[in-house]
Amino acid sequence: GPVKFKPDESSKFDQVGVVNGLAYTSVGGTMLTVEVAVMDGKGNLELTGSLGDVIKESAKAAVSYIRANADKYRIDKEFYQNKDIHIHFPEGAVPKDGPSAGVTIFTALVSALSGCKVKADVAMTGEITLRGRVLPIGGVKEKILAAKTAGITKVIVPKENERDVVRLEAEITEGMEVVYAETMEDVLKTAFKVLKVAISGF
């Protein structure tokens, strides 16, 4: 009969403010899309999608890092005062928590605030810091498998997780390009279709 639930899929086209994230669950890896909408307002930050405290903290850390580096990303310095930001994780009935969505939230925020489109064939995972570092995460094998199942061809993972990736069976990474990120700039260089932000090396 007809499929009751569609398998995880990536976006079919490049979009502003929409990023393919990867998460680890008790039954394996899964795609975790993050959507960000920016509107004229008074600096309110709204987070929806049945989120836990850790993931909310990642969102606040991402906003703070962007505020501190607004010039670098050619973003209005006053965005936190004259814009409202809504960060949404679809499938709100499914509880979500953990630090590994940090880079996904950060990328979606920069995309929405700068107007840069994010590549639809890229997925990512990693924890962020207020200094712009990308920290290692768990469940690398499951996350890469989830990306491959969803039709993703390029995955961004923390540089410190390279040791985990090289241990994976060849069939898991076959046809996949794994990009290792040490900083948030490394993430943006891979994720953005056309860079409108001032990142060194471009």
Side-chain angles (χ1 to χ4, degrees):
V3 177
K4 292 184 178 181
F5 298 100
K6 292 175 65 178
D8 293 333
E9 292 182 348
S10 63
S11 301
K12 299 302 182 185
F13 52 92
D14 305 334
Q15 299 181 70
V16 172
V18 180
V19 183
N20 297 314
L22 297 167
Y24 177 79
T25 72
S26 59
V27 293
T30 184
M31 291 284 293
L32 187 67
T33 304
V34 175
E35 301 175 344
V36 172
V38 177
M39 305 143 283
D40 290 338
K42 298 180 180 179
N44 296 318
L45 177 62
E46 183 79 15
L47 297 106
T48 55
S50 189
L51 309 179
D53 289 340
V54 176
I55 209 167
K56 290 178 182 177
E57 290 173 359
S58 292
K60 293 175 182 177
V63 171
S64 293
Y65 180 76
I66 294 170
R67 283 182 58 185
N69 295 273
D71 286 340
K72 180 193 298 187
Y73 301 125
R74 294 176 184 167
I75 291 171
D76 177 13
K77 288 183 178 180
E78 307 301 321
F79 78 87
Y80 67 96
Q81 292 181 325
N82 55 35
K83 298 292 183 184
D84 286 347
I85 297 174
H86 188 159
I87 302 173
H88 179 62
F89 289 70
E91 298 186 43
V94 180
K96 308 168 189 73
D97 203 8
S100 63
V103 296
T104 312
I105 297 170
F106 163 76
T107 304
L109 281 166
V110 175
S111 172
L113 290 165
S114 68
C116 292
K117 289 186 176 181
V118 180
K119 297 175 184 177
D121 63 349
V122 174
M124 61 189 69
T125 181
E127 185 177 355
I128 63 172
T129 75
L130 287 177
R131 298 298 180 187
R133 293 178 55 221
V134 178
L135 301 183
I137 43 77
V140 172
K141 177 179 180 179
E142 292 80 3
K143 290 176 180 179
I144 292 179
L145 279 172
K148 189 170 187 176
T149 301
I152 294 293
T153 58
K154 186 178 293 186
V155 177
I156 303 171
V157 301
K159 174 66 175 176
E160 291 183 51
N161 284 116
E162 183 174 5
R163 60 182 180 271
D164 301 311
V165 175
V166 297
R167 295 192 185 108
L168 298 178
E169 297 86 346
E171 57 265 27
I172 294 177
T173 54
E174 183 180 4
M176 301 280 291
E177 179 182 352
V178 181
V179 178
Y180 301 106
E182 292 184 273
T183 67
M184 296 186 195
E185 280 65 43
D186 295 334
V187 176
L188 297 186
K189 289 175 187 178
T190 300
F192 280 2
K193 185 172 180 63
V194 177
L195 280 164
K196 300 178 184 177
V197 295
I199 299 177
S200 60
F202 282 82

mmCIF file of all heavy atoms in Angstrom, residues 104-143:
data_model
loop_
_atom_site.group_PDB
_atom_site.id
_atom_site.type_symbol
_atom_site.label_atom_id
_atom_site.label_comp_id
_atom_site.label_asym_id
_atom_site.label_seq_id
_atom_site.Cartn_x
_atom_site.Cartn_y
_atom_site.Cartn_z
ATOM 1 N N THR A 104 24.003 24.124 12.733
ATOM 2 C CA THR A 104 22.839 24.220 11.851
ATOM 3 C C THR A 104 22.050 25.493 12.143
ATOM 4 O O THR A 104 21.647 26.216 11.222
ATOM 5 C CB THR A 104 21.936 22.985 12.025
ATOM 6 O OG1 THR A 104 22.730 21.798 11.963
ATOM 7 C CG2 THR A 104 20.878 22.928 10.933
ATOM 8 N N ILE A 105 21.834 25.763 13.416
ATOM 9 C CA ILE A 105 21.123 26.980 13.811
ATOM 10 C C ILE A 105 21.911 28.211 13.376
ATOM 11 O O ILE A 105 21.352 29.166 12.812
ATOM 12 C CB ILE A 105 20.897 26.999 15.332
ATOM 13 C CG1 ILE A 105 19.999 25.840 15.760
ATOM 14 C CG2 ILE A 105 20.289 28.328 15.767
ATOM 15 C CD1 ILE A 105 19.914 25.643 17.266
ATOM 16 N N PHE A 106 23.208 28.198 13.616
ATOM 17 C CA PHE A 106 24.057 29.324 13.248
ATOM 18 C C PHE A 106 23.981 29.596 11.744
ATOM 19 O O PHE A 106 23.813 30.743 11.314
ATOM 20 C CB PHE A 106 25.503 29.018 13.649
ATOM 21 C CG PHE A 106 26.530 29.889 12.983
ATOM 22 C CD1 PHE A 106 26.719 31.192 13.397
ATOM 23 C CD2 PHE A 106 27.290 29.395 11.932
ATOM 24 C CE1 PHE A 106 27.664 32.001 12.770
ATOM 25 C CE2 PHE A 106 28.226 30.190 11.307
ATOM 26 C CZ PHE A 106 28.415 31.500 11.721
ATOM 27 N N THR A 107 24.103 28.566 10.937
ATOM 28 C CA THR A 107 24.073 28.729 9.480
ATOM 29 C C THR A 107 22.732 29.270 9.009
ATOM 30 O O THR A 107 22.669 30.154 8.148
ATOM 31 C CB THR A 107 24.373 27.385 8.787
ATOM 32 O OG1 THR A 107 25.638 26.885 9.252
ATOM 33 C CG2 THR A 107 24.425 27.543 7.276
ATOM 34 N N ALA A 108 21.649 28.750 9.585
ATOM 35 C CA ALA A 108 20.317 29.224 9.202
ATOM 36 C C ALA A 108 20.130 30.695 9.581
ATOM 37 O O ALA A 108 19.517 31.467 8.830
ATOM 38 C CB ALA A 108 19.249 28.365 9.866
ATOM 39 N N LEU A 109 20.660 31.102 10.723
ATOM 40 C CA LEU A 109 20.564 32.489 11.164
ATOM 41 C C LEU A 109 21.332 33.426 10.233
ATOM 42 O O LEU A 109 20.810 34.459 9.796
ATOM 43 C CB LEU A 109 21.089 32.633 12.590
ATOM 44 C CG LEU A 109 20.145 32.202 13.716
ATOM 45 C CD1 LEU A 109 20.907 32.086 15.027
ATOM 46 C CD2 LEU A 109 19.001 33.197 13.859
ATOM 47 N N VAL A 110 22.584 33.080 9.938
ATOM 48 C CA VAL A 110 23.384 33.926 9.044
ATOM 49 C C VAL A 110 22.729 34.004 7.670
ATOM 50 O O VAL A 110 22.676 35.069 7.044
ATOM 51 C CB VAL A 110 24.827 33.399 8.931
ATOM 52 C CG1 VAL A 110 25.614 34.210 7.901
ATOM 53 C CG2 VAL A 110 25.537 33.459 10.271
ATOM 54 N N SER A 111 22.205 32.885 7.200
ATOM 55 C CA SER A 111 21.521 32.863 5.909
ATOM 56 C C SER A 111 20.327 33.805 5.897
ATOM 57 O O SER A 111 20.161 34.621 4.978
ATOM 58 C CB SER A 111 21.070 31.436 5.593
ATOM 59 O OG SER A 111 20.247 31.403 4.440
ATOM 60 N N ALA A 112 19.482 33.708 6.919
ATOM 61 C CA ALA A 112 18.270 34.533 6.971
ATOM 62 C C ALA A 112 18.596 36.015 7.129
ATOM 63 O O ALA A 112 17.911 36.873 6.565
ATOM 64 C CB ALA A 112 17.377 34.072 8.120
ATOM 65 N N LEU A 113 19.643 36.329 7.886
ATOM 66 C CA LEU A 113 19.995 37.724 8.140
ATOM 67 C C LEU A 113 20.777 38.361 6.989
ATOM 68 O O LEU A 113 20.757 39.579 6.826
ATOM 69 C CB LEU A 113 20.801 37.838 9.435
ATOM 70 C CG LEU A 113 20.020 37.585 10.730
ATOM 71 C CD1 LEU A 113 20.970 37.355 11.896
ATOM 72 C CD2 LEU A 113 19.095 38.759 11.027
ATOM 73 N N SER A 114 21.468 37.546 6.198
ATOM 74 C CA SER A 114 22.309 38.067 5.117
ATOM 75 C C SER A 114 21.696 37.885 3.736
ATOM 76 O O SER A 114 22.117 38.524 2.772
ATOM 77 C CB SER A 114 23.686 37.388 5.143
ATOM 78 O OG SER A 114 23.571 36.014 4.801
ATOM 79 N N GLY A 115 20.706 36.970 3.632
ATOM 80 C CA GLY A 115 20.099 36.696 2.331
ATOM 81 C C GLY A 115 20.846 35.679 1.503
ATOM 82 O O GLY A 115 20.521 35.465 0.328
ATOM 83 N N CYS A 116 21.845 35.012 2.079
ATOM 84 C CA CYS A 116 22.597 33.980 1.360
ATOM 85 C C CYS A 116 21.822 32.665 1.338
ATOM 86 O O CYS A 116 21.355 32.205 2.384
ATOM 87 C CB CYS A 116 23.951 33.748 2.025
ATOM 88 S SG CYS A 116 25.095 35.128 1.880
ATOM 89 N N LYS A 117 21.707 32.047 0.175
ATOM 90 C CA LYS A 117 21.037 30.754 0.078
ATOM 91 C C LYS A 117 21.958 29.635 0.558
ATOM 92 O O LYS A 117 23.176 29.676 0.356
ATOM 93 C CB LYS A 117 20.616 30.477 -1.364
ATOM 94 C CG LYS A 117 19.457 31.340 -1.847
ATOM 95 C CD LYS A 117 19.006 30.904 -3.230
ATOM 96 C CE LYS A 117 17.789 31.710 -3.679
ATOM 97 N NZ LYS A 117 17.309 31.301 -5.022
ATOM 98 N N VAL A 118 21.354 28.624 1.180
ATOM 99 C CA VAL A 118 22.095 27.452 1.653
ATOM 100 C C VAL A 118 21.884 26.308 0.673
ATOM 101 O O VAL A 118 20.769 26.069 0.205
ATOM 102 C CB VAL A 118 21.619 27.034 3.064
ATOM 103 C CG1 VAL A 118 22.389 25.805 3.546
ATOM 104 C CG2 VAL A 118 21.792 28.181 4.043
ATOM 105 N N LYS A 119 22.947 25.606 0.351
ATOM 106 C CA LYS A 119 22.874 24.500 -0.603
ATOM 107 C C LYS A 119 21.984 23.386 -0.073
ATOM 108 O O LYS A 119 22.093 22.977 1.078
ATOM 109 C CB LYS A 119 24.268 23.951 -0.887
ATOM 110 C CG LYS A 119 25.211 24.944 -1.548
ATOM 111 C CD LYS A 119 26.600 24.355 -1.691
ATOM 112 C CE LYS A 119 27.585 25.353 -2.250
ATOM 113 N NZ LYS A 119 28.959 24.793 -2.321
ATOM 114 N N ALA A 120 21.117 22.875 -0.943
ATOM 115 C CA ALA A 120 20.171 21.841 -0.539
ATOM 116 C C ALA A 120 20.823 20.473 -0.399
ATOM 117 O O ALA A 120 20.271 19.586 0.252
ATOM 118 C CB ALA A 120 19.029 21.766 -1.552
ATOM 119 N N ASP A 121 21.999 20.283 -1.012
ATOM 120 C CA ASP A 121 22.648 18.965 -0.977
ATOM 121 C C ASP A 121 23.660 18.844 0.145
ATOM 122 O O ASP A 121 24.481 17.925 0.156
ATOM 123 C CB ASP A 121 23.307 18.665 -2.327
ATOM 124 C CG ASP A 121 24.424 19.658 -2.671
ATOM 125 O OD1 ASP A 121 24.546 20.689 -1.970
ATOM 126 O OD2 ASP A 121 25.169 19.400 -3.628
ATOM 127 N N VAL A 122 23.608 19.778 1.110
ATOM 128 C CA VAL A 122 24.544 19.771 2.234
ATOM 129 C C VAL A 122 23.783 19.570 3.541
ATOM 130 O O VAL A 122 22.720 20.154 3.743
ATOM 131 C CB VAL A 122 25.335 21.101 2.305
ATOM 132 C CG1 VAL A 122 26.197 21.146 3.558
ATOM 133 C CG2 VAL A 122 26.194 21.278 1.066
ATOM 134 N N ALA A 123 24.334 18.728 4.418
ATOM 135 C CA ALA A 123 23.797 18.568 5.767
ATOM 136 C C ALA A 123 24.953 18.733 6.743
ATOM 137 O O ALA A 123 26.122 18.592 6.366
ATOM 138 C CB ALA A 123 23.143 17.205 5.945
ATOM 139 N N MET A 124 24.628 19.042 8.008
ATOM 140 C CA MET A 124 25.708 19.351 8.945
ATOM 141 C C MET A 124 25.353 18.972 10.373
ATOM 142 O O MET A 124 24.185 18.805 10.722
ATOM 143 C CB MET A 124 26.028 20.844 8.883
ATOM 144 C CG MET A 124 24.865 21.747 9.271
ATOM 145 S SD MET A 124 25.213 23.513 8.941
ATOM 146 C CE MET A 124 25.235 23.536 7.152
ATOM 147 N N THR A 125 26.399 18.862 11.192
ATOM 148 C CA THR A 125 26.228 18.616 12.612
ATOM 149 C C THR A 125 27.449 19.151 13.334
ATOM 150 O O THR A 125 28.555 19.159 12.797
ATOM 151 C CB THR A 125 26.052 17.114 12.904
ATOM 152 O OG1 THR A 125 25.856 16.914 14.306
ATOM 153 C CG2 THR A 125 27.252 16.301 12.453
ATOM 154 N N GLY A 126 27.267 19.629 14.561
ATOM 155 C CA GLY A 126 28.391 20.140 15.330
ATOM 156 C C GLY A 126 27.932 21.112 16.407
ATOM 157 O O GLY A 126 26.915 21.780 16.252
ATOM 158 N N GLU A 127 28.676 21.149 17.472
ATOM 159 C CA GLU A 127 28.399 22.080 18.567
ATOM 160 C C GLU A 127 29.205 23.356 18.348
ATOM 161 O O GLU A 127 30.287 23.324 17.751
ATOM 162 C CB GLU A 127 28.786 21.446 19.900
ATOM 163 C CG GLU A 127 28.438 22.291 21.115
ATOM 164 C CD GLU A 127 28.767 21.591 22.426
ATOM 165 O OE1 GLU A 127 29.179 20.420 22.393
ATOM 166 O OE2 GLU A 127 28.607 22.237 23.489
ATOM 167 N N ILE A 128 28.679 24.490 18.816
ATOM 168 C CA ILE A 128 29.357 25.763 18.619
ATOM 169 C C ILE A 128 29.775 26.375 19.954
ATOM 170 O O ILE A 128 29.251 26.011 21.006
ATOM 171 C CB ILE A 128 28.465 26.769 17.862
ATOM 172 C CG1 ILE A 128 27.194 27.094 18.686
ATOM 173 C CG2 ILE A 128 28.098 26.245 16.498
ATOM 174 C CD1 ILE A 128 26.360 28.200 18.102
ATOM 175 N N THR A 129 30.725 27.323 19.850
ATOM 176 C CA THR A 129 31.143 28.081 21.033
ATOM 177 C C THR A 129 31.018 29.568 20.718
ATOM 178 O O THR A 129 30.890 29.969 19.558
ATOM 179 C CB THR A 129 32.604 27.785 21.425
ATOM 180 O OG1 THR A 129 33.482 28.448 20.504
ATOM 181 C CG2 THR A 129 32.896 26.290 21.411
ATOM 182 N N LEU A 130 31.091 30.395 21.755
ATOM 183 C CA LEU A 130 31.016 31.837 21.558
ATOM 184 C C LEU A 130 32.260 32.395 20.895
ATOM 185 O O LEU A 130 32.287 33.564 20.488
ATOM 186 C CB LEU A 130 30.808 32.535 22.908
ATOM 187 C CG LEU A 130 29.410 32.385 23.524
ATOM 188 C CD1 LEU A 130 29.375 33.059 24.896
ATOM 189 C CD2 LEU A 130 28.346 32.990 22.614
ATOM 190 N N ARG A 131 33.291 31.580 20.744
ATOM 191 C CA ARG A 131 34.515 31.994 20.066
ATOM 192 C C ARG A 131 34.552 31.525 18.619
ATOM 193 O O ARG A 131 35.552 31.694 17.926
ATOM 194 C CB ARG A 131 35.746 31.473 20.813
ATOM 195 C CG ARG A 131 35.876 32.020 22.227
ATOM 196 C CD ARG A 131 36.032 33.526 22.216
ATOM 197 N NE ARG A 131 36.165 34.074 23.567
ATOM 198 C CZ ARG A 131 36.188 35.368 23.839
ATOM 199 N NH1 ARG A 131 36.067 36.240 22.859
ATOM 200 N NH2 ARG A 131 36.299 35.789 25.082
ATOM 201 N N GLY A 132 33.480 30.893 18.165
ATOM 202 C CA GLY A 132 33.411 30.485 16.761
ATOM 203 C C GLY A 132 34.001 29.133 16.449
ATOM 204 O O GLY A 132 34.200 28.787 15.288
ATOM 205 N N ARG A 133 34.274 28.341 17.484
ATOM 206 C CA ARG A 133 34.813 26.997 17.252
ATOM 207 C C ARG A 133 33.684 25.996 17.036
ATOM 208 O O ARG A 133 32.575 26.174 17.526
ATOM 209 C CB ARG A 133 35.675 26.556 18.437
ATOM 210 C CG ARG A 133 36.951 27.353 18.623
ATOM 211 C CD ARG A 133 37.704 26.882 19.848
ATOM 212 N NE ARG A 133 37.973 25.441 19.789
ATOM 213 C CZ ARG A 133 37.874 24.622 20.833
ATOM 214 N NH1 ARG A 133 37.508 25.097 22.025
ATOM 215 N NH2 ARG A 133 38.142 23.337 20.698
ATOM 216 N N VAL A 134 34.005 24.924 16.305
ATOM 217 C CA VAL A 134 33.061 23.826 16.096
ATOM 218 C C VAL A 134 33.569 22.635 16.893
ATOM 219 O O VAL A 134 34.668 22.129 16.645
ATOM 220 C CB VAL A 134 32.948 23.463 14.603
ATOM 221 C CG1 VAL A 134 31.996 22.281 14.426
ATOM 222 C CG2 VAL A 134 32.459 24.663 13.801
ATOM 223 N N LEU A 135 32.776 22.183 17.850
ATOM 224 C CA LEU A 135 33.190 21.116 18.755
ATOM 225 C C LEU A 135 32.643 19.761 18.306
ATOM 226 O O LEU A 135 31.604 19.682 17.632
ATOM 227 C CB LEU A 135 32.715 21.420 20.175
ATOM 228 C CG LEU A 135 33.217 22.714 20.800
ATOM 229 C CD1 LEU A 135 32.717 22.834 22.236
ATOM 230 C CD2 LEU A 135 34.745 22.798 20.761
ATOM 231 N N PRO A 136 33.311 18.665 18.684
ATOM 232 C CA PRO A 136 32.901 17.323 18.252
ATOM 233 C C PRO A 136 31.573 16.887 18.851
ATOM 234 O O PRO A 136 31.127 17.395 19.878
ATOM 235 C CB PRO A 136 34.046 16.433 18.753
ATOM 236 C CG PRO A 136 34.621 17.179 19.919
ATOM 237 C CD PRO A 136 34.522 18.626 19.530
ATOM 238 N N ILE A 137 30.963 15.924 18.181
ATOM 239 C CA ILE A 137 29.661 15.407 18.582
ATOM 240 C C ILE A 137 29.684 13.869 18.524
ATOM 241 O O ILE A 137 30.669 13.267 18.099
ATOM 242 C CB ILE A 137 28.529 15.955 17.677
ATOM 243 C CG1 ILE A 137 28.937 15.944 16.187
ATOM 244 C CG2 ILE A 137 28.228 17.390 18.072
ATOM 245 C CD1 ILE A 137 28.904 14.643 15.505
ATOM 246 N N GLY A 138 28.592 13.248 18.946
ATOM 247 C CA GLY A 138 28.489 11.793 18.896
ATOM 248 C C GLY A 138 27.560 11.339 17.779
ATOM 249 O O GLY A 138 26.920 12.146 17.107
ATOM 250 N N GLY A 139 27.490 10.026 17.583
ATOM 251 C CA GLY A 139 26.570 9.467 16.599
ATOM 252 C C GLY A 139 26.931 9.763 15.160
ATOM 253 O O GLY A 139 26.049 9.881 14.302
ATOM 254 N N VAL A 140 28.233 9.866 14.877
ATOM 255 C CA VAL A 140 28.665 10.240 13.525
ATOM 256 C C VAL A 140 28.186 9.230 12.481
ATOM 257 O O VAL A 140 27.669 9.611 11.426
ATOM 258 C CB VAL A 140 30.201 10.376 13.464
ATOM 259 C CG1 VAL A 140 30.669 10.578 12.025
ATOM 260 C CG2 VAL A 140 30.654 11.540 14.327
ATOM 261 N N LYS A 141 28.367 7.959 12.770
ATOM 262 C CA LYS A 141 27.969 6.916 11.803
ATOM 263 C C LYS A 141 26.488 7.008 11.484
ATOM 264 O O LYS A 141 26.078 7.004 10.316
ATOM 265 C CB LYS A 141 28.291 5.541 12.377
ATOM 266 C CG LYS A 141 27.841 4.381 11.486
ATOM 267 C CD LYS A 141 28.218 3.030 12.104
ATOM 268 C CE LYS A 141 27.765 1.876 11.222
ATOM 269 N NZ LYS A 141 28.154 0.562 11.803
ATOM 270 N N GLU A 142 25.667 7.105 12.514
ATOM 271 C CA GLU A 142 24.216 7.155 12.319
ATOM 272 C C GLU A 142 23.800 8.405 11.553
ATOM 273 O O GLU A 142 22.896 8.369 10.706
ATOM 274 C CB GLU A 142 23.508 7.103 13.666
ATOM 275 C CG GLU A 142 23.629 5.777 14.406
ATOM 276 C CD GLU A 142 24.952 5.592 15.142
ATOM 277 O OE1 GLU A 142 25.781 6.534 15.121
ATOM 278 O OE2 GLU A 142 25.171 4.523 15.731
ATOM 279 N N LYS A 143 24.462 9.522 11.823
ATOM 280 C CA LYS A 143 24.114 10.775 11.158
ATOM 281 C C LYS A 143 24.485 10.740 9.680
ATOM 282 O O LYS A 143 23.727 11.216 8.824
ATOM 283 C CB LYS A 143 24.797 11.938 11.867
ATOM 284 C CG LYS A 143 24.223 12.211 13.256
ATOM 285 C CD LYS A 143 24.981 13.312 13.984
ATOM 286 C CE LYS A 143 24.393 13.556 15.360
ATOM 287 N NZ LYS A 143 25.120 14.607 16.111
#
